[in-house]
Amino acid sequence: MSLGVVLRAPVSRRVWTEILYLLVSAPLAAFGFAYTLATVVLGAGLAVTAAGIPLLAFGLYVAREIAGLHRGLAGRLLGEHIEPPAPVRTAPGLARVQIRLSDAAAWRAMAYFLVKLPITVIHLYILALTWAWSLVAITYPIQHAAGVNMDTVRDAHGAVRHGLVVGGVVFDTWPRQLAVCATGVLLLFVAPWATHVALMPDRMLMRWLLGRRGLAERVRDLEETRARAVDDAAATLRRIERDLHDGAQVRLIALTMQLTMVRDAVPDGAVRTLVDTAQATAREAIQELRELVRGIHPPALDHGLDTALTTLAARSGVPVEANVELGARPTAAIESIAYFCAAELLANVARHSGATRAWLSLTQAEGRLRLQVRDDGHGVAAPAGGSGLSGLLDRVRTVDGRLGIVSPPGGPTVVTVELPSHA
């Protein structure tokens, strides 16, 4: 370190922005500490009521926002750019409360608020000990001349002396006053480095508690991104289904009706034959369009997964006993995957199993759906390459789902699909 750097340190921009950070962050630290205590105490105290848990979840949400203020302040004044944690995905109703309560980044932010205040008190003490006392010492000769900040004592000879007393030594002579002044100058050059070093624990805590956490955070970020992509894809497919159902399909039906009127208006002959052909083509297009729409988004899902599965079981080619116990409604993407899994499994039962009966059940527990289809067929079902079961396996894997198949020779076959309630 060069002598110039040492001499310029007290007037450098870095040291003044660090002092400004300490002064500005002090009230924010006090607020964060009080806010955390109030949120935890109120949330725990009201946990026996319906308001306690939602209150705590909301408190964690606000903690993320306060943590953003700390990151912004550190980035602007200290140049400490901390990457914020991955955003929390949204979900309706109680699922949102559950997501907020399991938000590790918000809990880390609250932990930071609790340790930030004691650290800030130490920072302010170091600030006063170095900067304030250096200014007091440097201006000591002026204070002595003005009779300010003086102690009055009697020495061993009974003489009255006025001046700063440290360790029994009275600094009232010029050499001693200059010694105090020199000590203040020395302290002035030590103060910038003391301030800088004192901020290091705060910088480390911010990076550790307010920033993005390594591999685990990255994995969670990818999971959140995938969930949003799956939900967006489901919403897009549903919009396409609506457009086809309410647009192209309606126009084709209108075209068929117009062709019927044309057919009735023309006599038998070549023109009528052409109209008959066009009408048949339009009807085939309508039928293909309906099958396409059902493949994109079954209209039965508009009334919920439980209704859709019950309807699916009732229309199966093999008698199916359905037992659907669904609590909170899953996201649209999960509903769609569960429905298509059930449809494919029941179709396999009707086509390949040789079964006379089948059972479909859907339960929900601990944030996961468990769909099971069982039949009394001859068994040996396996997810071979390109089969319907392998397609199901690929579909459920997109949302961290699981597919289990038990199908010994002679049966029965039990296929279990587990999916998260939210993608």
Short mmCIF file of all heavy atoms in Angstrom, two decimals, residues 235-250 293 296-299 301-303:
data_model
loop_
_atom_site.label_atom_id
_atom_site.label_comp_id
_atom_site.label_asym_id
_atom_site.label_seq_id
_atom_site.Cartn_x
_atom_site.Cartn_y
_atom_site.Cartn_z
N ALA A 235 -51.70 -22.95 -20.09
CA ALA A 235 -52.59 -21.81 -20.39
C ALA A 235 -52.67 -21.56 -21.90
O ALA A 235 -53.74 -21.25 -22.44
CB ALA A 235 -52.09 -20.57 -19.67
N THR A 236 -51.53 -21.72 -22.58
CA THR A 236 -51.51 -21.50 -24.03
C THR A 236 -52.36 -22.55 -24.74
O THR A 236 -53.15 -22.23 -25.65
CB THR A 236 -50.06 -21.56 -24.55
OG1 THR A 236 -49.30 -20.55 -23.89
CG2 THR A 236 -50.02 -21.33 -26.04
N LEU A 237 -52.21 -23.81 -24.32
CA LEU A 237 -53.02 -24.87 -24.93
C LEU A 237 -54.50 -24.64 -24.70
O LEU A 237 -55.34 -24.86 -25.58
CB LEU A 237 -52.60 -26.23 -24.35
CG LEU A 237 -51.23 -26.76 -24.82
CD1 LEU A 237 -50.89 -28.04 -24.08
CD2 LEU A 237 -51.25 -27.01 -26.32
N ARG A 238 -54.83 -24.17 -23.51
CA ARG A 238 -56.23 -23.91 -23.22
C ARG A 238 -56.78 -22.78 -24.09
O ARG A 238 -57.91 -22.83 -24.55
CB ARG A 238 -56.37 -23.55 -21.74
CG ARG A 238 -57.81 -23.54 -21.29
CD ARG A 238 -57.90 -23.55 -19.79
NE ARG A 238 -59.27 -23.62 -19.35
CZ ARG A 238 -59.62 -23.82 -18.12
NH1 ARG A 238 -58.71 -24.02 -17.21
NH2 ARG A 238 -60.90 -23.87 -17.78
N ARG A 239 -55.94 -21.77 -24.32
CA ARG A 239 -56.38 -20.66 -25.18
C ARG A 239 -56.57 -21.15 -26.61
O ARG A 239 -57.52 -20.75 -27.30
CB ARG A 239 -55.34 -19.55 -25.13
CG ARG A 239 -55.80 -18.28 -25.85
CD ARG A 239 -54.87 -17.12 -25.60
NE ARG A 239 -53.52 -17.36 -26.10
CZ ARG A 239 -52.47 -17.62 -25.33
NH1 ARG A 239 -52.60 -17.65 -24.02
NH2 ARG A 239 -51.29 -17.84 -25.86
N ILE A 240 -55.66 -22.01 -27.07
CA ILE A 240 -55.80 -22.56 -28.43
C ILE A 240 -57.08 -23.37 -28.53
O ILE A 240 -57.82 -23.29 -29.52
CB ILE A 240 -54.56 -23.42 -28.77
CG1 ILE A 240 -53.32 -22.53 -28.89
CG2 ILE A 240 -54.80 -24.20 -30.06
CD1 ILE A 240 -52.03 -23.31 -29.06
N GLU A 241 -57.35 -24.15 -27.47
CA GLU A 241 -58.57 -24.96 -27.48
C GLU A 241 -59.81 -24.07 -27.55
O GLU A 241 -60.76 -24.36 -28.30
CB GLU A 241 -58.59 -25.81 -26.20
CG GLU A 241 -59.81 -26.72 -26.08
CD GLU A 241 -60.91 -26.06 -25.27
OE1 GLU A 241 -60.63 -25.22 -24.43
OE2 GLU A 241 -62.09 -26.39 -25.54
N ARG A 242 -59.80 -22.96 -26.81
CA ARG A 242 -60.92 -22.03 -26.86
C ARG A 242 -61.08 -21.43 -28.26
O ARG A 242 -62.19 -21.31 -28.77
CB ARG A 242 -60.70 -20.90 -25.84
CG ARG A 242 -60.76 -21.35 -24.40
CD ARG A 242 -62.17 -21.63 -23.98
NE ARG A 242 -62.23 -21.95 -22.56
CZ ARG A 242 -63.27 -22.50 -21.98
NH1 ARG A 242 -64.33 -22.83 -22.70
NH2 ARG A 242 -63.27 -22.74 -20.69
N ASP A 243 -59.96 -21.02 -28.84
CA ASP A 243 -60.03 -20.42 -30.18
C ASP A 243 -60.58 -21.40 -31.20
O ASP A 243 -61.39 -21.04 -32.05
CB ASP A 243 -58.63 -19.94 -30.60
CG ASP A 243 -58.15 -18.78 -29.75
OD1 ASP A 243 -59.00 -18.14 -29.09
OD2 ASP A 243 -56.93 -18.52 -29.73
N LEU A 244 -60.12 -22.65 -31.12
CA LEU A 244 -60.61 -23.65 -32.07
C LEU A 244 -62.08 -23.96 -31.83
O LEU A 244 -62.87 -24.09 -32.78
CB LEU A 244 -59.78 -24.94 -31.95
CG LEU A 244 -58.32 -24.86 -32.42
CD1 LEU A 244 -57.60 -26.16 -32.11
CD2 LEU A 244 -58.25 -24.55 -33.91
N HIS A 245 -62.44 -24.06 -30.54
CA HIS A 245 -63.81 -24.42 -30.21
C HIS A 245 -64.79 -23.31 -30.56
O HIS A 245 -65.85 -23.55 -31.13
CB HIS A 245 -63.89 -24.74 -28.71
CG HIS A 245 -65.24 -25.24 -28.29
ND1 HIS A 245 -66.25 -24.39 -27.89
CD2 HIS A 245 -65.76 -26.49 -28.22
CE1 HIS A 245 -67.32 -25.09 -27.58
NE2 HIS A 245 -67.05 -26.38 -27.76
N ASP A 246 -64.42 -22.08 -30.24
CA ASP A 246 -65.35 -20.97 -30.45
C ASP A 246 -65.18 -20.30 -31.80
O ASP A 246 -66.03 -19.51 -32.20
CB ASP A 246 -65.17 -19.91 -29.36
CG ASP A 246 -65.44 -20.46 -27.97
OD1 ASP A 246 -66.19 -21.45 -27.88
OD2 ASP A 246 -64.89 -19.93 -26.99
N GLY A 247 -64.08 -20.57 -32.52
CA GLY A 247 -63.84 -19.92 -33.79
C GLY A 247 -63.98 -20.85 -34.97
O GLY A 247 -65.04 -20.90 -35.62
N ALA A 248 -62.93 -21.61 -35.23
CA ALA A 248 -62.91 -22.45 -36.43
C ALA A 248 -64.05 -23.48 -36.44
O ALA A 248 -64.70 -23.71 -37.47
CB ALA A 248 -61.56 -23.16 -36.52
N GLN A 249 -64.31 -24.08 -35.27
CA GLN A 249 -65.35 -25.12 -35.23
C GLN A 249 -66.72 -24.52 -35.52
O GLN A 249 -67.52 -25.11 -36.27
CB GLN A 249 -65.32 -25.79 -33.86
CG GLN A 249 -66.20 -27.03 -33.79
CD GLN A 249 -65.95 -27.81 -32.50
OE1 GLN A 249 -64.86 -27.85 -32.00
NE2 GLN A 249 -67.00 -28.41 -31.98
N VAL A 250 -67.01 -23.37 -34.97
CA VAL A 250 -68.31 -22.72 -35.20
C VAL A 250 -68.47 -22.35 -36.68
O VAL A 250 -69.53 -22.52 -37.28
CB VAL A 250 -68.44 -21.48 -34.30
CG1 VAL A 250 -69.67 -20.67 -34.67
CG2 VAL A 250 -68.49 -21.90 -32.83
N VAL A 293 -59.40 -30.88 -30.34
CA VAL A 293 -59.72 -30.06 -29.18
C VAL A 293 -59.71 -30.89 -27.91
O VAL A 293 -59.17 -30.49 -26.87
CB VAL A 293 -61.09 -29.37 -29.38
CG1 VAL A 293 -61.59 -28.77 -28.07
CG2 VAL A 293 -60.97 -28.28 -30.44
N ILE A 296 -56.22 -31.50 -26.80
CA ILE A 296 -55.51 -30.35 -26.23
C ILE A 296 -55.96 -30.09 -24.81
O ILE A 296 -55.16 -30.00 -23.88
CB ILE A 296 -55.74 -29.11 -27.11
CG1 ILE A 296 -55.06 -29.30 -28.47
CG2 ILE A 296 -55.19 -27.86 -26.42
CD1 ILE A 296 -55.33 -28.18 -29.44
N HIS A 297 -57.25 -29.96 -24.64
CA HIS A 297 -57.77 -29.67 -23.29
C HIS A 297 -59.20 -30.20 -23.21
O HIS A 297 -60.11 -29.61 -23.80
CB HIS A 297 -57.77 -28.16 -23.02
CG HIS A 297 -58.37 -27.80 -21.70
ND1 HIS A 297 -57.68 -27.94 -20.51
CD2 HIS A 297 -59.60 -27.35 -21.36
CE1 HIS A 297 -58.45 -27.56 -19.51
NE2 HIS A 297 -59.63 -27.21 -20.01
N PRO A 298 -59.39 -31.30 -22.50
CA PRO A 298 -60.75 -31.86 -22.40
C PRO A 298 -61.71 -30.85 -21.77
O PRO A 298 -61.42 -30.31 -20.69
CB PRO A 298 -60.54 -33.07 -21.48
CG PRO A 298 -59.09 -33.37 -21.56
CD PRO A 298 -58.39 -32.07 -21.78
N PRO A 299 -62.82 -30.56 -22.40
CA PRO A 299 -63.79 -29.61 -21.82
C PRO A 299 -64.25 -30.04 -20.43
O PRO A 299 -64.63 -29.19 -19.62
CB PRO A 299 -64.94 -29.63 -22.83
CG PRO A 299 -64.32 -30.08 -24.11
CD PRO A 299 -63.24 -31.04 -23.73
N LEU A 301 -62.58 -30.87 -17.98
CA LEU A 301 -61.73 -30.30 -16.93
C LEU A 301 -62.18 -28.91 -16.50
O LEU A 301 -61.73 -28.41 -15.47
CB LEU A 301 -60.28 -30.25 -17.41
CG LEU A 301 -59.49 -31.56 -17.35
CD1 LEU A 301 -58.10 -31.37 -17.92
CD2 LEU A 301 -59.40 -32.06 -15.91
N ASP A 302 -63.03 -28.28 -17.30
CA ASP A 302 -63.54 -26.96 -16.90
C ASP A 302 -64.31 -27.05 -15.58
O ASP A 302 -64.42 -26.07 -14.86
CB ASP A 302 -64.45 -26.40 -18.00
CG ASP A 302 -63.65 -26.05 -19.25
OD1 ASP A 302 -62.42 -25.90 -19.13
OD2 ASP A 302 -64.26 -25.93 -20.32
N HIS A 303 -64.87 -28.21 -15.28
CA HIS A 303 -65.65 -28.39 -14.05
C HIS A 303 -64.82 -29.05 -12.94
O HIS A 303 -65.38 -29.45 -11.92
CB HIS A 303 -66.89 -29.24 -14.35
CG HIS A 303 -67.75 -28.66 -15.43
ND1 HIS A 303 -68.51 -27.54 -15.25
CD2 HIS A 303 -67.94 -29.04 -16.74
CE1 HIS A 303 -69.15 -27.24 -16.39
NE2 HIS A 303 -68.81 -28.14 -17.30
#
